[in-house]
Amino acid sequence: MNTSSLNRIGGIAAILGILLLFGGYAIPALLGIGMLLMALFYYALDKSLGSSPLGLAAVGSTVVGGIGALFTGTDPSTLFNIFNVLAFMLPALLAGLAARGKAGFPRFLPIFGIIGGALGIVNAIVNISGGGDWTNLSSPTLTLLSNLTYYPALLLVLVWLVWGGVLLLRDKGAAQSAPA
């Protein structure tokens, strides 16, 4: 499979994965399937940027989190927070670090992934320390901190995924290696 085809498949996977994540509220299995599609996006992104350990870690983390999400569903719990971070937030951070400074890649896009992923990890730590159920945290301060980290993290990671997906779809988001 050539790089152009893989990039387009990865771009489609990112956009479709986002749609399935939102559909996961109606049908919980869609959440895990959407996260597994994100793994395809991260794989295509890693290959298009020149394979790196951070990119491969993002793919592996997404696969583990997506498979876990298939079994845990959307019930707010500590396990759900862990799989959500593994499949959605940590890969954005890792892939953002891998994409930072790559030729042909927009300068600000990796920053969205890095900051969104880091805020998402902080959000999961807050939720887990409050009992795992973000709908019923143990203190109002934790609830405030959870909300202040979740919404910016979600928005930044969604921007990262949509913009990255569009770049891959257009096959302009990656530095193409010229044959020798």
Side-chain angles (χ1 to χ4, degrees), residues 41-175:
F41 162 73
Y42 285 118
Y43 177 76
L45 183 67
D46 181 51
K47 289 299 179 188
S48 69
L49 294 173
S51 192
S52 72
L54 286 173
L56 293 175
V59 173
S61 175
T62 308
V63 168
V64 170
I67 291 171
L70 282 172
F71 295 107
T72 61
T74 57
D75 293 330
S77 65
T78 300
L79 201 54
F80 174 79
N81 281 296
I82 291 170
F83 288 134
N84 190 35
V85 164
L86 284 174
F88 196 64
M89 300 300 181
L90 182 61
L93 173 68
L94 295 174
L97 288 170
R100 195 174 55 129
K102 296 291 183 178
F105 210 74
R107 185 178 206 170
F108 288 104
L109 180 56
I111 294 170
F112 290 140
I114 293 167
I115 294 172
L119 284 173
I121 292 168
V122 169
N123 175 264
I125 292 169
V126 168
N127 289 341
I128 291 169
S129 68
D133 181 357
W134 65 85
T135 62
N136 189 21
L137 291 173
S138 59
S139 81
T141 305
L142 287 176
T143 302
L144 176 65
L145 190 54
S146 176
N147 289 335
L148 288 175
T149 55
Y150 174 74
Y151 293 111
L154 177 67
L155 181 63
L156 288 170
V157 172
L158 285 176
V159 168
W160 156 256
L161 289 168
V162 170
W163 192 356
V166 168
L167 283 173
L168 285 180
L169 264 173
R170 297 165 112 194
D171 202 19
K172 295 184 182 195

